[in-house]
């Protein structure tokens, strides 16, 4: 078998490492964007839940047996 040229190994390593590093950087950027969007969505959901609670309180709707809701004025 022929001996491997160290220069050729270095060149091949360099050629392979550059695209892999670029891919890793792109995946990290996408991951950061996704996490940011998830955090934003979480804040929006929290705000929506608070607004819904406020609206149901203002409307006089109370929770009864889980999801069934009746106006407070119709309570017996």
């Amino acid at each position: 078998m022929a001996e491997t040229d160290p220069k050729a190994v270095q060149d091949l390593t360099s050629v392979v490492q550059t695209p892999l590093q670029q891919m890793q950087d792109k995946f990290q950027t996408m991951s950061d964007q996704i996490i940011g969007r998830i955090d934003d969505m979480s804040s929006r959901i929290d705000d929506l839940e608070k607004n819904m609670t406020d609206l149901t309180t203002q409307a006089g709707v109370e929770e009864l047996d889980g999801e069934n809701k009746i106006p407070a004025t119709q309570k017996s």
Side-chain angles (χ1 to χ4, degrees), residues 2-17:
E3 290 186 32
T4 306
D5 179 16
K7 176 71 172 146
V9 171
Q10 282 181 331
D11 290 344
L12 181 59
T13 301
S14 176
V15 167
V16 170
Q17 283 182 340

Side-chain angles (χ1 to χ4, degrees), residues 9-74:
V9 171
Q10 282 181 331
D11 290 344
L12 181 59
T13 301
S14 176
V15 167
V16 170
Q17 283 182 340
T18 301
L20 288 176
Q21 184 62 45
Q22 290 172 345
M23 284 176 53
Q24 183 177 1
D25 294 343
K26 286 180 182 180
F27 278 117
Q28 186 62 49
T29 300
M30 290 185 342
S31 176
D32 293 342
Q33 289 174 344
I34 290 169
I35 289 171
R37 289 178 182 177
I38 289 171
D39 289 342
D40 183 46
M41 185 66 71
S42 175
S43 295
R44 289 179 178 192
I45 290 171
D46 290 343
D47 291 345
L48 180 61
E49 287 177 342
K50 182 186 178 307
N51 289 336
M52 289 175 63
T53 300
D54 292 346
L55 288 172
T56 55
T57 300
Q58 290 173 7
V61 176
E62 294 181 2
E63 189 170 339
L64 180 67
D65 294 329
E67 293 299 319
N68 297 328
K69 298 184 189 301
I70 58 170
T73 57
Q74 292 182 1

